Amino acid sequence: MNEELEFETYLNINPNKFEIYLYDTKNLINLYREEIILNENINSTDLNILKKFLDNNIFKIEKLSGKFVENIFI
């Protein structure tokens, strides 16, 4: 069975910030966008910061879309 995905989740990891997006592929609009800018003392290799960012935002995305996030495009 080939189902077209209605929502796509994207994660962007840069040296100075993390961004996450929820994109509605049927209506071609961005439904959710959140970013955290890392200061000079924190870098993108700090996995605890990334984990906390994902924990907070994945929950919000799942609530907004009404579906569990199964795939994230990085």
Side-chain angles (χ1 to χ4, degrees), residues 6-56:
E6 189 174 332
F7 301 107
E8 292 180 348
T9 305
Y10 294 90
L11 176 65
N12 186 9
I13 300 175
N14 288 316
N16 60 349
K17 69 180 172 179
F18 300 136
E19 296 175 289
I20 193 164
Y21 305 91
L22 176 64
Y23 187 71
D24 181 344
T25 58
K26 285 188 176 185
N27 298 314
L28 303 176
I29 57 172
N30 191 17
L31 297 175
Y32 182 84
R33 179 184 177 275
E34 188 65 43
E35 74 176 23
I36 183 171
I37 297 176
L38 305 172
N39 62 31
E40 295 174 4
N41 300 329
I42 302 171
N43 61 37
S44 62
T45 59
D46 188 344
L47 297 181
N48 290 325
I49 301 279
L50 178 59
K51 182 184 180 326
K52 186 175 180 180
F53 177 75
L54 288 174
D55 287 345
N56 291 335

